[in-house]
Amino acid sequence: MKGKGKRKYTTVGNTLFMLQNAARRVPVVILLTVLQAVFAVAVSVLELYVAPYILKSLEVHSALSELFRTILFFTIGITTASALAAYVDKNLLFGRVQLRLEIMNMVRDKAVTCSYPLREKKEFSSLLAKATEVLSDNGRASEAIWNTLAELLQNVTGFVIYFVLLQNMDAVVLGVMVLTTALGYLMNYRINRWDYRHRREGEELAAKIFYIQDRALDRYLAKDIRIFGMQEWLRALYGKYMRLYQAFYGKREMRYFAADLTDLALTVLRNAVAYGYLLYMALGGRIGAAEFLLYFTAVGGFTKWLTGIMENVTMLYRQGMELDFVREALDYQELFLMEGGEPVEADENGGYTIVLRDVSFRMFSHLNLTIHAGEKLAVVGLNGAGKTTLVKLICGFYDPDEGEVLLNGKNIKTFNRREYYKLIAGVFQDFSVIPASIAANVAQDAEDYDMDRVSACIDKAGLKKKIETLPQQYDTLLGRDVHEDAVELSGGELQRLMLARLLYKESPIMVLDEPTAALDPIAENDIYERYYELTRGKSAIFVSHRLASTRFCDRILLVENGKITEEGTHDALLKKGRRYAELFALQSKYYRTEVPKSERSFGI
């Protein structure tokens, strides 16, 4: 939110947002919401008149048959209207759920298609989390707002009908009823404003609690928690934030209690004036028993409709505050040209040259680098040297603070960034495995993929023999967190699966940012050699902190402290006898097959 306590969106604007999405995606929701209000008002009006009509019939000594017809009419009317209201209410649920899920998909699409630096922004990530929470269940604003709108329409309609009915009452009495209701609303409005100004405090505490819960339940961290005896520390940390959370909401609830107490006093005053006036009219002979009963019931209904309108407006305000998160997440300003921009022109020879010209970003200052079409480039260096940052600049995940990244002479800022990404296939250290079939993981698509192409890529990656031994073969599920019968592949097998995924995309530029860092040096070397063989004719960038794994490359860059300190082929760099040669000598013993595997694990 921009500015303390100031909303970017209005309650009316958020209501229109929901109505527009309903009209476009699930229009039946609007129709059923209106019908829900109409039938509810019909039931209320029929119930209002049933007793006075019967009493009036008895007063004038109507025939028994006429009395029976009156009772039958109201019985059929109330039963029919109640049944229709219940039917609409039940069927409305499905449309509301569908609409909520549609909007949730909009937020998820924003999350998975936005630019990389935007996804890294704490403010945006926080908005996504809050928007997802708002869309998480039936009771939250994204779905509950339809109940509020139906009730508001019902209350406004009922208020108009009852106001016409009570026109004969004293204007002062009507004024007191309206005034006390308005005062109650203003009290609730002030509480809601306080709640809005302080909600970040509660949300931050809740986020910390959920984070601790998530870490404590993460099965990948279970071994660390047990080995290092972190259970009591986690419990103490959880207890601390839970107490702060409870104290914050205790303070908030005390304010709501004071508002409710004030509202109760105003309600007592309102009813005392209205009912006192009716008793005065009845005892003075100005109205009969049937009219007294009608007005007495109508006064209660009138105050209920009026109070309901105010409560609905207040609830819409609260729900609007929740929907602010959804709209802010969806409307968040994109940093790159993810839509629009110039198309990437196809190169006639199928090759692309990438140039970093005078680039400054984070640790890098005035960096110049050219990656030629079809070149095998290695970026090596110790952990923290800036290798991954350099790769992210090349891939277009970041834009430099100064300088420019050029593709065939054009600044990539001018391109549609999604088209630029299509030129690059990458496997990174933190690669993802989808909880779906092996075939879907290779194609990165759970439904539409070429099975022959998937099989060919898996064969080239050297994983075909393993997969064909599995009962479901290419339909074997991965992701045990989701599928109980999922298979867990070894580290080396996952690397080959990632290689098959990279081959399936058939991009002219391939990037491997230390995807094999978890493997031992010998296994990494084998995987990198296979990558080299299968990327012939394409540009490829290999990143590693193990120098021997990339010695086959056309050119090697040694990166240290955000600078390219050495550049050349493996043999040329060894002959220079500088830092590259020194690091290679230190690491070389870990690449000898006779060195025990346990000793290799201590490589740089």
Side-chain angles (χ1 to χ4, degrees), residues 174-353:
L174 287 174
V176 169
M177 293 167 64
V178 173
L179 179 62
T180 52
T181 304
L183 289 173
Y185 166 74
L186 290 174
M187 175 64 71
N188 282 315
Y189 179 80
R190 289 190 61 188
I191 294 299
N192 284 319
R193 290 292 298 170
W194 182 92
D195 194 17
Y196 180 81
R197 289 194 300 270
H198 294 83
R199 63 177 176 162
R200 286 195 182 278
E201 181 182 345
E203 288 159 1
E204 288 172 1
L205 290 170
K208 291 175 181 178
I209 291 170
F210 289 134
Y211 178 78
I212 295 169
Q213 287 178 330
D214 184 58
R215 297 296 89 188
L217 296 174
D218 191 332
R219 69 187 184 94
Y220 292 106
L221 299 179
K223 290 181 286 186
D224 288 337
I225 291 173
R226 286 159 177 75
I227 288 174
F228 293 102
M230 298 168 66
Q231 298 94 326
E232 291 303 320
W233 177 71
L234 285 170
R235 288 194 189 99
L237 199 61
Y238 179 83
K240 170 190 171 183
Y241 286 115
M242 183 57 77
R243 287 190 294 273
L244 289 172
Y245 185 76
Q246 290 171 341
F248 170 79
Y249 276 93
K251 182 169 61 175
R252 190 189 76 159
E253 291 306 313
M254 284 300 295
R255 284 173 166 78
Y256 276 114
F257 175 74
D260 290 341
L261 200 61
T262 303
D263 190 54
L264 176 63
L266 291 170
T267 300
V268 170
L269 173 62
R270 179 171 62 243
N271 291 342
V273 171
Y275 294 144
Y277 176 79
L278 286 176
L279 285 172
Y280 166 76
M281 293 282 287
L283 293 174
R286 298 182 183 180
I287 55 175
E291 290 175 300
F292 175 82
L293 180 58
L294 176 64
Y295 286 129
F296 186 88
T297 307
V299 164
F302 179 81
T303 56
K304 184 191 76 170
W305 298 127
L306 193 56
T307 303
I309 291 172
M310 298 302 178
E311 289 176 348
N312 293 149
V313 171
T314 301
M315 181 56 69
L316 273 180
Y317 182 84
R318 292 185 187 178
Q319 292 169 339
M321 289 192 297
E322 286 194 357
L323 291 172
D324 282 352
F325 292 128
V326 176
R327 295 191 67 192
E328 278 200 70
L330 292 174
D331 295 343
Y332 205 94
Q333 182 64 44
E334 185 52 79
L335 302 177
F336 297 164
L337 290 174
M338 305 303 289
E339 306 295 339
E342 297 180 21
V344 176
E345 296 180 4
D347 187 87
E348 293 180 0
N349 300 317
Y352 295 88
T353 298

Side-chain angles (χ1 to χ4, degrees), residues 54-284:
I54 293 173
L55 184 58
K56 187 69 173 179
S57 297
L58 293 173
E59 281 183 331
V60 298
H61 305 288
S62 298
L64 187 60
S65 59
E66 185 178 341
L67 180 61
F68 178 76
R69 283 195 299 271
T70 301
I71 295 173
L72 183 62
F73 168 79
F74 281 105
T75 301
I76 293 174
I78 292 172
T79 303
T80 302
S82 298
L84 289 171
Y87 176 81
V88 167
D89 186 55
K90 288 291 183 183
N91 285 275
L92 185 54
L93 174 64
F94 301 106
R96 291 173 176 177
V97 171
Q98 182 184 346
L99 179 59
R100 175 170 60 85
L101 295 179
E102 292 271 0
I103 298 174
M104 181 181 287
N105 286 335
M106 291 166 58
V107 172
R108 288 174 174 169
D109 286 344
K110 176 80 172 186
V112 300
T113 60
C114 68
S115 60
Y116 190 82
L118 182 59
R119 195 66 180 84
E120 283 190 331
K121 285 190 70 172
K122 183 178 179 181
E123 181 184 42
F124 182 64
S125 295
S126 177
L127 275 175
L128 286 178
K130 292 168 183 173
T132 301
E133 184 181 352
V134 171
L135 296 162
S136 61
D137 62 66
N138 308 85
R140 300 305 294 263
S142 54
E143 189 173 328
I145 191 173
W146 295 107
N147 281 329
T148 306
L149 290 174
E151 290 175 6
L152 179 59
L153 181 58
Q154 173 185 336
N155 287 325
V156 169
T157 306
F159 172 79
V160 171
I161 293 172
Y162 279 46
F163 183 81
V164 172
L165 177 65
L166 296 174
Q167 283 186 90
N168 294 329
M169 289 188 66
D170 190 281
V172 174
V173 175
L174 287 174
V176 169
M177 293 167 64
V178 173
L179 179 62
T180 52
T181 304
L183 289 173
Y185 166 74
L186 290 174
M187 175 64 71
N188 282 315
Y189 179 80
R190 289 190 61 188
I191 294 299
N192 284 319
R193 290 292 298 170
W194 182 92
D195 194 17
Y196 180 81
R197 289 194 300 270
H198 294 83
R199 63 177 176 162
R200 286 195 182 278
E201 181 182 345
E203 288 159 1
E204 288 172 1
L205 290 170
K208 291 175 181 178
I209 291 170
F210 289 134
Y211 178 78
I212 295 169
Q213 287 178 330
D214 184 58
R215 297 296 89 188
L217 296 174
D218 191 332
R219 69 187 184 94
Y220 292 106
L221 299 179
K223 290 181 286 186
D224 288 337
I225 291 173
R226 286 159 177 75
I227 288 174
F228 293 102
M230 298 168 66
Q231 298 94 326
E232 291 303 320
W233 177 71
L234 285 170
R235 288 194 189 99
L237 199 61
Y238 179 83
K240 170 190 171 183
Y241 286 115
M242 183 57 77
R243 287 190 294 273
L244 289 172
Y245 185 76
Q246 290 171 341
F248 170 79
Y249 276 93
K251 182 169 61 175
R252 190 189 76 159
E253 291 306 313
M254 284 300 295
R255 284 173 166 78
Y256 276 114
F257 175 74
D260 290 341
L261 200 61
T262 303
D263 190 54
L264 176 63
L266 291 170
T267 300
V268 170
L269 173 62
R270 179 171 62 243
N271 291 342
V273 171
Y275 294 144
Y277 176 79
L278 286 176
L279 285 172
Y280 166 76
M281 293 282 287
L283 293 174

